Amino acid sequence: MAGRTVRVQGFPAELPPDRAADKLTIHFLRSRNGGGDIANVRVLPGSLPCALITFEAPEVAQRILQVKNHVLAIGKTRYPLEVTPHAAELSPNEVLRG
């Protein structure tokens, strides 16, 4: 999944995870936002929730990262999103190498 996943922060913590996933999916599917086909959206709840969005193609993730201002509109409120690359998890073998 390396290169296809981005980390998104900035959406409201009070938004239920399933609704947050729906809103983020709609935003990042839109071509005007640089988006494209999504393989998976995983919302990690908490006081500062974040979402991991994996796209079908790495070039879509790269386009998303190049867009400077992602803004999620929910009703009349607009939330600026912080979108950063998500590093692939290391396998145990990679962690143990020194």
Side-chain angles (χ1 to χ4, degrees):
M1 286 204 232
R4 297 188 306 138
T5 303
V6 297
R7 179 184 182 99
V8 179
Q9 293 177 283
F11 54 93
E14 63 273 8
L15 200 61
D18 58 335
R19 186 146 181 257
D22 289 346
K23 293 287 186 186
L24 292 169
T25 298
I26 291 166
H27 177 84
F28 288 107
L29 274 172
R30 290 188 175 139
S31 58
R32 73 171 183 234
N33 297 326
D37 291 336
I38 295 172
N40 186 41
V41 176
R42 197 167 118 213
V43 175
L44 308 172
S47 58
L48 292 171
C50 75
L52 300 178
I53 301 175
T54 302
F55 295 93
E56 293 287 344
E59 50 275 7
V60 176
Q62 295 311 306
R63 275 198 318 262
I64 288 291
L65 292 168
Q66 290 172 1
V67 173
K68 295 297 177 211
N69 296 311
H70 286 283
V71 178
L72 183 66
I74 301 175
K76 293 184 179 186
T77 308
R78 297 167 61 82
Y79 299 93
L81 300 176
E82 179 186 342
V83 182
T84 56
H86 178 67
E89 292 181 19
L90 298 175
S91 72
N93 291 339
E94 290 173 310
V95 172
L96 295 175
R97 288 184 200 151

